[in-house]
Amino acid sequence: MAQDQTYWNPVIETLPREKLRALQLKKFKRIFAWTYEHSRFHRALYAQAGVRPEDIRSFEDIRAVPKVEKSMMRDIQRKDPFPYGDALCVPLEEVTEFRQTSGTTGQPVYQPDTWQDWEWWAECWACILWAQGYRPSDRVFLPFGYNIFVAFWAAHYAAEKLGCEVVPGGVLDTKARILKIQELRATAMMATPTYVLGMADTARKMGIDPSSLTIRRITCAGEPGAGIPSTKKRMQDAWGAKVFDHAGATEIGAWSFECSEQPFGMHVNEGMFLVEIEDIDTGEIIEGPGRRGKMVITAFDRQAQPCVRFDSKDVIEWDPEPCSCGRTFRLIKGGVVGRADDITKVKGVLLAPSAIEEVVRSIEGLGDEYEVIVDKIGDSDRITLKIELLPDARGKQRAVEAALVDQLRLKTNLRYDLQFHDYGQLPRYEVKAKRFKDLRKDH
Amino acid sequence: MVDEAQFRKMAEMITEMRTTAEGLHAMADTFPAVKRNTSRMLASLKMLSINVCDLDDLARTE
């Protein structure tokens, strides 16, 4: 029966690498030609670089195609054809979906999609959910706002496509969502890691052990967390469920997924996307495993506002090992390990904020919430870490602090000013957290 | 698992369905129910093409 099958697409997901690469090249040429033909913005960019569709014959040729950054999209939008501007590749009347980015890095970027693009979004997510074990027998609870951000919209349609029963938990508050999960015996849900942990906390305050609920599968997206081992463990322990990571973006699509083997990494959906990894300093393409770089990504089938060699700023590296799931889609080791614009130098040491989270959430006795503040005292950097001591760890603060100092030094090579707070004193975030604050003007 | 002959047959059937849907869509300028529903069908058929025909076409040209 279809639902006994391991793969959503058993042919493409297990295609030998050389055939997959040939498919990718063919599809890149197709989307590049489409974009060149239909987007005034992109054609001007390509004309300036002297690159035409007929020039693309190999992966090396692809590197000559200029990259697009988010800031470039901001600059061309809010103009005719309103509000998308010159990157719109279809008549305005074919746009059926409007979404926008969250605006955390600047003015939001608008994203138009045709109905075909929306189907494509659901198709990308269908591959993800099937790989994570979702099946028609699942009752999937979606506790998100169903609003102007793409968030889990496409996941909703994908779950329907798979034949799952979908429960939209949009308007309900957290307590009502927990009660609804309990009432309906939902078997799966999707949320940001911050919200997954927040829901668990709320459930416990309601006198409900979240691991006693029927949730067995949780897909996380929207922020790092499910790819950070200690955060994943906290979520899995709290809910008694398997937690899976996914990375996607409004401007890109749903490009990666952790499969049911949970390989400490994520597959790139290489049938739908071309991922290139670029050295952050030199711009050289990193072909092999073992070196981190910045992701440049192309979505092969998105038409209204194509994503062709988009500089995502996500930092990733290829995993040297194939996955035991049997997919030939490559793994990125540890998932998205940070963002090129988040990784910063503190006291001369390169620091990825995710490394701090990994340490904090690996220490017993510390709460889930934390805050990092980087500022300057005179000319010297200072990094302050605020953490919460769990109520049952009172009296053990010295031991907890010793473990924390030790691990922070090992994992980040830095010394921190530590501030312990009582449980519940630090800010709580509803959906996405902003825990790392860099107050230095010249960082 | 799907064998090569089945895969090829799937690709042919998808192409036939697309041709039929495109034909119906083209006829339906004065019939909104058909026009809009065939638009949706064509979007779904595109997904079938992505999953099957793109790879089949590649195999045929190699």
Side-chain angles (χ1 to χ4, degrees):
Chain A
M1 289 178 63
Q3 61 190 35
D4 298 330
Q5 299 302 307
T6 305
Y7 314 107
W8 177 247
N9 186 319
V11 179
I12 291 182
E13 291 179 49
T14 60
L15 207 56
R17 289 294 307 169
E18 61 277 10
K19 289 192 175 173
L20 185 55
R21 290 292 272 173
L23 181 65
Q24 289 188 315
L25 182 59
K26 169 189 146 165
K27 292 183 77 166
F28 183 89
K29 284 157 77 169
R30 185 170 71 192
I31 193 63
F32 182 59
W34 166 269
T35 306
Y36 187 94
E37 180 66 32
H38 294 93
S39 165
R40 283 196 293 263
F41 161 69
H42 287 88
R43 191 161 62 252
L45 192 66
Y46 301 152
Q48 199 169 33
V51 184
R52 297 174 59 87
E54 54 268 32
D55 298 329
I56 309 299
R57 294 179 212 90
S58 69
F59 286 97
E60 287 66 41
D61 295 333
I62 289 173
R63 292 165 199 178
V65 174
K67 292 178 291 184
V68 172
E69 298 194 14
K70 201 163 180 168
S71 55
M72 294 157 80
M73 299 308 296
R74 286 191 187 109
D75 290 344
I76 61 163
Q77 290 188 336
R78 293 163 178 80
K79 299 184 178 92
D80 288 342
F82 188 82
Y84 305 112
D86 277 349
L88 184 65
C89 290
V90 297
L92 207 47
E93 56 267 24
E94 287 186 23
V95 175
T96 57
E97 307 295 323
F98 170 93
R99 295 296 183 281
Q100 67 182 45
T101 61
S102 59
T104 44
T105 57
Q107 189 165 316
V109 171
Y110 299 150
Q111 183 65 48
D113 281 306
T114 61
W115 183 253
Q116 182 179 289
D117 291 332
W118 207 234
E119 279 279 4
W120 166 83
W121 260 110
E123 189 64 29
C124 294
W125 264 101
C127 177
I128 293 167
L129 297 182
W130 195 268
Q132 295 173 353
Y134 287 69
R135 293 296 183 269
S137 56
D138 277 301
R139 179 171 286 135
V140 183
F141 190 82
L142 283 163
F144 84 102
Y146 285 89
N147 56 23
I148 211 165
F149 310 121
V150 77
F152 292 100
W153 277 96
H156 175 121
Y157 293 117
E160 287 178 347
K161 187 182 275 214
L162 262 60
C164 304
E165 180 184 338
V166 182
V167 183
V171 160
L172 305 175
D173 67 16
T174 304
K175 284 184 183 171
R177 285 169 173 170
I178 289 161
L179 290 172
K180 192 54 70 177
I181 287 171
Q182 188 179 52
E183 177 197 337
L184 296 180
R185 301 178 201 168
T187 59
M189 71 173 189
M190 307 187 213
T192 62
T194 294
Y195 197 60
V196 170
L197 289 171
M199 278 181 82
D201 202 34
T202 301
R204 283 188 286 261
K205 286 174 181 150
M206 292 164 69
I208 297 171
D209 174 3
S211 68
S212 72
L213 298 172
T214 44
I215 297 289
R216 289 297 164 257
R217 216 178 309 284
I218 300 173
T219 299
C220 284
E223 60 178 2
I228 297 172
S230 56
T231 302
K232 186 198 242 12
K233 184 174 187 312
R234 286 202 177 204
M235 291 190 281
Q236 293 191 147
D237 288 348
W239 286 90
K242 279 185 112 173
V243 172
F244 300 101
D245 199 8
H246 153 64
T250 307
E251 317 92 307
I252 300 170
W255 61 273
S256 70
F257 59 96
E258 185 178 7
C259 67
S260 56
E261 295 292 305
Q262 296 189 295
F264 182 54
M266 289 197 289
H267 292 279
V268 174
N269 183 337
E270 294 193 90
M272 302 288 225
F273 298 90
L274 175 67
V275 161
E276 302 166 88
I277 303 178
E278 200 178 78
D279 186 284
I280 291 170
D281 295 318
T282 66
E284 173 203 345
I285 296 292
I286 301 168
E287 297 278 9
R291 270 172 68 197
R292 287 182 177 176
K294 205 171 47 154
M295 182 177 79
V296 175
I297 187 166
T298 300
F300 294 132
D301 304 290
R302 195 175 195 182
Q303 297 206 311
Q305 184 165 279
C307 166
V308 177
R309 295 206 89 225
F310 180 74
D311 186 345
S312 74
K313 311 266 188 264
D314 285 330
V315 176
I316 59 174
E317 69 178 271
W318 294 121
D319 194 314
E321 299 298 324
C323 186
S324 50
C325 72
R327 286 178 178 82
T328 52
F329 291 171
R330 280 180 293 184
L331 285 168
I332 50 173
K333 190 174 180 180
V336 176
V337 296
R339 289 187 53 80
D341 38 19
D342 279 352
I343 292 175
T344 185
K345 269 195 177 167
V346 178
K347 302 182 199 178
V349 174
L350 270 177
L351 176 67
S354 58
I356 302 174
E357 176 164 317
E358 165 62 11
V359 170
V360 169
R361 290 186 174 168
S362 71
I363 307 273
E364 243 185 79
L366 289 181
D368 296 328
E369 284 306 332
Y370 65 93
E371 199 168 82
V372 182
I373 300 170
V374 183
D375 59 4
K376 269 183 149 32
I377 306 283
D379 289 330
S380 302
D381 290 338
R382 177 176 64 177
I383 183 163
T384 303
L385 173 60
K386 298 182 183 181
I387 51 271
E388 292 181 344
L389 200 61
L390 288 173
D392 56 10
R394 272 196 214 114
K396 296 179 200 164
Q397 182 172 327
R398 271 191 142 170
V400 170
E401 185 170 348
L404 183 59
V405 165
D406 193 48
Q407 286 302 304
L408 285 170
R409 191 182 58 242
L410 245 156
K411 299 279 169 59
T412 72
N413 208 20
L414 284 167
R415 284 171 59 94
Y416 297 69
D417 285 11
L418 296 178
Q419 289 181 11
F420 278 84
H421 293 260
D422 288 338
Y423 184 71
Q425 284 192 327
L426 291 181
R428 260 68 182 148
Y429 297 90
E430 181 69 16
V431 177
K432 271 196 201 191
K434 189 145 175 63
R435 299 184 179 98
F436 192 92
K437 292 168 180 139
D438 196 331
L439 307 178
R440 298 170 298 175
K441 287 196 182 68
D442 56 351
H443 68 279
Chain B
M1 210 30 181
V2 177
D3 68 37
E4 208 174 306
Q6 272 183 312
F7 194 74
R8 193 138 284 180
K9 183 67 184 166
M10 283 183 180
E12 283 168 15
M13 291 172 77
I14 292 164
T15 304
E16 282 166 18
M17 286 166 70
R18 190 170 64 226
T19 305
T20 303
E22 282 169 349
L24 202 49
H25 188 256
M27 289 171 70
D29 284 345
T30 56
F31 201 149
V34 174
K35 192 78 175 176
R36 295 311 311 161
N37 276 292
T38 48
S39 284
R40 292 240 168 160
M41 283 176 69
L42 285 164
S44 293
L45 285 163
K46 175 66 179 177
M47 297 310 112
L48 287 172
S49 292
I50 287 170
N51 276 296
V52 179
C53 303
D54 281 353
L55 186 57
D56 182 68
D57 290 347
L58 184 70
R60 285 177 198 272
T61 57
E62 277 177 344

